[in-house]
Amino acid sequence: MPRIKTSRLTGLREMTPADRRAAVATAAGLDAQDVAALAGAGALPEARADGMIENVIGTFELPLGVATNFIVNGREYLVPMAVEEPSVVAAASYMARLARAGGGFQATSTRPVMRAQIQVLDVADPQASRDSLQAASGELVAAANACDAVLVGLGGGCIGTEVHVFETSPVGPMVVLHLLVDVRDAMGANAVNTMAEAVAPRVAQIAGGRVRLRILSNLADRRLVRASVRLTPDVLDTETLAGSEVAQGIVEACALALIDPYRAATHNKGIMNGVDPVVVATGNDWRAIEAGAHAYAARDGRYTSLTRWEIDADGALTGEIELPMALGLVGGATRSHPAAQAALRLMGVESAAELAEIVAAVGLAQNLAALRALATEGIQKGHMALHARNLAIAAGATGAEIDRVAHAMVDAGEITAQKARNLLNRS
């Protein structure tokens, strides 16, 4: 798949949507069919939508934007983002632009291993059941792999088992067997669920109990992605603050998220503002990503930040993120939704791991944007300025009227629906 030469596309904000599509298509080498799919009109025919979910009555559209300026592991990326919230795409793009001076983002990912859980109840001796299941691990791995010769042929498949014992629960003691499955470029739900169903009768027999659940876990803690960035203080300078002050403010703002779950919830929501739109645009399961991320943030028994920001010995601001990332390039909407396929071609990704690394970088960029705003003018100023555009549109403004009404509300310091109506009526 061809790589773009640069994601530094200037002037997109001033272009019409059609001109933006043309600029992005030229940069990414997209054909007319992909451009049409990204435009949205008729991208998902009703007949195809009817085959994707039940009781279809239509389709629901979200704005699809493109984040620019991203460099991840030395490669340039244009990143599609499907999101309704103002400021998200602009913030990610701006932070990626600041990061370019230091080479952009670095990212790594672990092997794409998912878990399937098989719950065994009515066990007379949980510890003895655990020992028996551990002794039969090789047999169970072989049985699981017999279910998916294609996955095994691609270098994936079940690679091992774990056994967890719960001595007490609302329904008594239980033993839970985990199948650990390398799912390659798939999200993996279908593969691991099929394996769990297949081996469950033998698991029950070995453990001497009764199987109930046979299902994947969305806490994909064996399928992690990490991203990092380093910014020298000069790129953080503002009109009123030195970059070193901004960097210190970012570190201090992150510190509260590290120790306080009330702040961490909002802090991590801001991270997911960057993560989810890319996951949605590429046809992946954003709910699974959300569940895994928040569970991972509480893995030590206390909910905390998914990122960490520090100032290094040279005075540069450094940030890191780590979270589970169960994404796929095959199966599901990634294969059935034309716009999702076009989005993947726009990015030029060649593996699920590469996609996960980009998504983590976008999440880190979004977190940086939020912390930078909190450390400088405050989050509300930028949010309300963008909110003014939505109010102008809701009041009936179109074309150039939108910016005129929005700017007038900001200048007046009165960003309300009534003010928008009043300004529009005066024109």
Side-chain angles (χ1 to χ4, degrees):
M1 191 171 291
R3 296 282 181 181
I4 65 169
K5 293 181 179 179
T6 180
S7 60
R8 183 77 179 100
L9 303 185
T10 59
L12 285 184
R13 180 178 175 81
E14 289 72 35
M15 296 180 188
T16 65
D19 288 341
R20 290 188 196 112
R21 282 195 297 275
V24 168
T26 298
L30 300 180
D31 60 23
Q33 186 174 353
D34 282 339
V35 173
L38 293 173
L44 182 62
E46 188 172 275
R48 183 169 294 196
D50 194 39
M52 292 174 67
I53 65 168
E54 305 76 33
N55 299 340
V56 166
I57 59 172
T59 58
F60 182 86
E61 293 183 335
L62 284 173
L64 179 64
V66 61
T68 58
N69 303 318
F70 273 90
I71 299 176
V72 182
N73 293 335
R75 290 179 170 175
E76 300 268 0
Y77 294 98
L78 292 169
V79 184
M81 302 180 75
V83 63
E84 84 296 342
E85 184 172 333
S87 82
V88 169
V89 178
S93 298
Y94 184 56
M95 292 305 107
R97 193 180 97 187
L98 297 186
R100 289 178 74 89
F105 300 85
Q106 299 300 313
T108 60
S109 52
T110 62
R111 191 173 178 179
V113 174
M114 299 292 287
R115 295 175 182 268
Q117 295 183 289
I118 302 172
Q119 175 195 29
V120 188
L121 303 166
D122 299 341
V123 287
D125 186 341
Q127 298 301 328
S129 295
R130 180 197 62 186
D131 293 343
S132 297
L133 288 170
Q134 288 176 333
S137 178
E139 174 193 345
L140 296 173
V141 167
N145 283 332
C147 300
D148 200 329
V150 173
L151 181 61
V152 173
L154 292 171
C158 187
I159 61 172
T161 64
E162 292 179 357
V163 185
H164 299 257
V165 173
F166 299 91
E167 295 285 358
T168 60
S169 84
V171 294
M174 66 179 72
V175 177
V176 183
L177 177 85
H178 289 196
L179 297 176
L180 304 177
V181 184
D182 182 331
V183 297
R184 300 284 82 194
D185 278 331
M187 183 273 180
N190 289 334
V192 299
N193 287 342
T194 298
M195 289 181 178
E197 292 280 359
V199 304
R202 180 57 178 150
V203 168
Q205 184 180 44
I206 294 169
R210 172 175 58 89
V211 164
R212 174 61 68 191
L213 294 182
R214 306 160 313 278
I215 184 72
L216 90 158
S217 170
N218 286 125
L219 177 51
D221 59 356
R222 295 285 293 266
R223 192 177 186 177
L224 300 176
V225 60
R226 303 175 181 92
S228 63
V229 68
R230 183 177 186 274
L231 300 100
T232 55
D234 57 291
V235 303
L236 296 170
D237 287 343
T238 71
E239 293 181 0
T240 59
L241 293 171
S244 58
E245 295 177 87
V246 176
Q248 184 61 34
I250 289 170
V251 171
E252 291 169 354
C254 183
L256 181 58
L258 291 168
I259 63 172
D260 177 25
Y262 290 96
R263 171 58 199 154
T266 310
H267 178 96
N268 289 343
K269 187 270 182 184
I271 292 169
M272 304 313 287
N273 274 352
V275 168
D276 288 347
V278 190
V279 177
V280 172
T282 57
N284 275 281
D285 187 347
W286 62 269
R287 299 158 305 279
I289 299 301
E290 281 273 349
H294 294 298
Y296 192 70
R299 64 191 181 280
D300 294 326
R302 180 178 58 85
Y303 188 83
T304 187
S305 169
L306 289 166
T307 61
R308 181 177 293 272
W309 293 91
E310 298 174 340
I311 296 173
D312 69 16
D314 296 322
L317 176 69
T318 63
E320 297 180 348
I321 187 171
E322 179 181 270
L323 73 167
M325 194 63 68
L327 299 177
L329 297 187
V330 297
T334 58
R335 285 301 187 199
S336 59
H337 199 306
Q341 296 173 359
L344 289 168
R345 285 190 284 272
L346 168 62
M347 300 175 79
V349 294
E350 297 177 352
S351 70
E354 183 183 2
L355 176 59
E357 290 164 6
I358 298 166
V359 172
V362 177
L364 186 59
Q366 201 70 40
N367 184 231
L368 174 61
L371 293 177
R372 180 181 177 274
L374 288 167
T376 53
E377 75 270 15
I379 203 78
Q380 198 66 356
K381 180 179 178 181
H383 273 205
M384 290 308 291
L386 288 159
H387 180 53
R389 288 177 53 83
N390 282 338
L391 290 177
I393 294 169
T398 59
E401 289 177 329
I402 297 172
D403 281 337
R404 181 185 63 77
V405 172
H407 290 155
M409 282 193 286
V410 172
D411 292 341
E414 187 180 347
I415 303 174
T416 66
Q418 185 60 54
K419 182 67 171 179
R421 287 192 292 269
N422 290 345
L423 288 166
L424 191 61
N425 290 336
R426 290 177 195 167
S427 60

